[in-house]
Amino acid sequence: MTSISISQPTVLVFAGDHGIADNGVSIAPSAVTQQMVLNFLAGGAAINCFCRSNDVALKVIDTGILLPVEQAHPQLVVQRLGTRTEDLSKRAAMSLEKVNEGIELGKRIVQQTIESGSNLVMFGEMGIGNTSSAAAILAALSDLAVEDCVGLGTGISEEQYQTKVSLVSQGVKRCQGSSPLEVLSQVGGFEIVQMVGGFMGAYEKKTPIVVDGFIVTAAAYVAALIEPKCRDYMIFAHQSQESAHKHMLKALDAKPLLDLGLRLGEGTGAVLSVPLIRAAAEFYNSMASFEDAGVTV
């Protein structure tokens, strides 16, 4: 029997900003994305705590945040597709050329991570307004109503929620009859596009990706539509509190490992699942059968 070993588990946190955030669909402005990226690099965020306690490496990918980090850092990878996406409620979030560029960049960073020795990669994300993008992707590629796809994000008010539904609906209307790549162009995010490419790159390397919450699952959903075999390499960490996450998981026939009521992002749920994955590997490798153990039944 071939044993399972876990080598250099690594979480890649993809950060990107969204033009729709200017409409007040989040509790925070876009500038907070940079502040959180700096916090990741300083080691002070929730994801850093969970990485330290579970011996997981961390890299942050700047896919296009409004305020870039000016200083180089060993944990920061800069592969920006722009300053941020366009406002998806008014126009296409990005061009198809940017979608394809982002997919290639996502493939590359994941395959570099695998080639450096990691055989368990996790995805996380950071980006003010990215639940709007993820909700729009789900609504555009499924039979669900926009109202069933839009949630409260990090805790918006009822008034903000109604605004968010209206704005997402405007973007989704442009997506009728569109392919997954066209939907990414119309309502996607730079971080989501690069994660789509990352899933495809992991499939090419036959390496599992641990899927975090709502936004990462949106990227997984698109990747599986483009290349269905990607789905075989996805481990779903948890079901988040974002209301539409359960619909995405159902569409992917996914049974998440954990349900902790999280709405944190950053890859936190993915990293929290690592002890369970390690335990499963040890169980597979080492647990004796009744026959081997001399147990009669």
Side-chain angles (χ1 to χ4, degrees):
M1 181 179 73
T2 302
S3 65
I4 298 172
S5 63
I6 296 173
S7 174
Q8 299 178 36
T10 302
V11 60
L12 304 178
V13 180
F14 292 82
D17 271 314
H18 297 254
I20 194 173
D22 286 349
N23 297 292
V25 294
S26 176
I27 62 171
S30 292
V32 168
T33 303
Q34 185 210 48
Q35 294 165 16
M36 284 302 302
V37 167
L38 289 169
N39 195 21
F40 299 152
L41 299 176
I47 187 62
N48 302 102
C49 299
F50 297 161
C51 283
R52 285 191 292 268
S53 61
N54 290 289
D55 194 24
V56 171
L58 168 72
K59 284 193 177 296
V60 182
I61 321 300
D62 177 1
T63 70
I65 63 176
L66 180 63
L67 304 172
V69 174
E70 299 297 342
Q71 291 185 319
H73 190 284
Q75 289 176 290
L76 178 65
V77 178
V78 178
Q79 43 191 47
R80 294 167 59 82
L81 294 170
T83 301
R84 61 174 175 174
T85 60
E86 298 290 333
D87 182 349
L88 67 84
S89 70
K90 297 181 174 67
R91 62 189 70 89
M94 69 191 86
S95 67
L96 272 172
E97 289 76 16
K98 288 291 183 186
V99 172
N100 289 317
E101 181 185 351
I103 286 173
E104 290 306 312
L105 288 169
K107 279 186 182 181
R108 185 177 71 187
I109 187 61
V110 168
Q111 293 186 343
Q112 287 174 345
T113 302
I114 295 165
E115 289 163 4
S116 296
S118 177
N119 70 354
L120 185 69
V121 182
M122 289 151 269
F123 286 171
E125 44 64 40
M126 177 63 216
I128 301 302
N130 63 8
T131 59
S132 296
S133 178
I137 288 168
L138 177 60
L141 292 171
S142 71
D143 296 327
L144 293 167
V146 170
E147 291 79 3
D148 293 327
C149 298
V150 173
L152 298 177
T154 48
I156 57 176
S157 67
E158 177 62 26
E159 182 180 357
Q160 286 175 299
Y161 170 77
Q162 294 301 332
T163 298
K164 187 174 176 181
V165 169
S166 175
L167 294 171
V168 169
S169 296
Q170 291 172 37
V172 171
K173 284 177 185 176
R174 297 195 310 272
C175 295
Q176 292 183 356
S178 296
S179 69
L181 290 177
E182 290 167 337
V183 168
L184 287 176
S185 170
Q186 288 295 330
V187 298
F190 292 153
E191 78 280 42
I192 293 173
V193 165
Q194 291 198 26
M195 286 190 288
V196 170
F199 281 113
M200 296 167 72
Y203 158 66
E204 291 175 3
K205 289 286 189 180
K206 304 295 186 278
T207 300
I209 297 286
V210 183
V211 183
D212 191 51
F214 182 54
I215 291 88
V216 180
T217 307
Y221 181 47
V222 177
L225 289 173
I226 296 170
E227 173 46 80
K229 291 179 182 177
C230 285
R231 173 64 184 84
D232 296 339
Y233 293 87
M234 297 173 182
I235 299 171
F236 292 84
H238 74 115
Q239 180 170 315
S240 80
Q241 277 290 93
E242 187 67 6
S243 58
H245 193 206
K246 61 181 180 289
H247 298 307
M248 279 184 182
L249 292 169
K250 183 178 180 181
L252 286 160
D253 191 26
K255 295 179 175 61
L257 300 177
L258 303 168
D259 186 351
L260 301 173
L262 298 174
R263 54 167 72 251
L264 188 54
E266 304 177 15
T268 48
V271 175
L272 285 173
S273 74
V274 169
L276 193 55
I277 295 170
R278 283 196 171 111
E282 178 63 18
F283 174 87
Y284 177 84
N285 292 337
S286 305
M287 183 176 173
S289 66
F290 279 172
E291 182 179 359
D292 292 339
V295 176
T296 57
V297 292

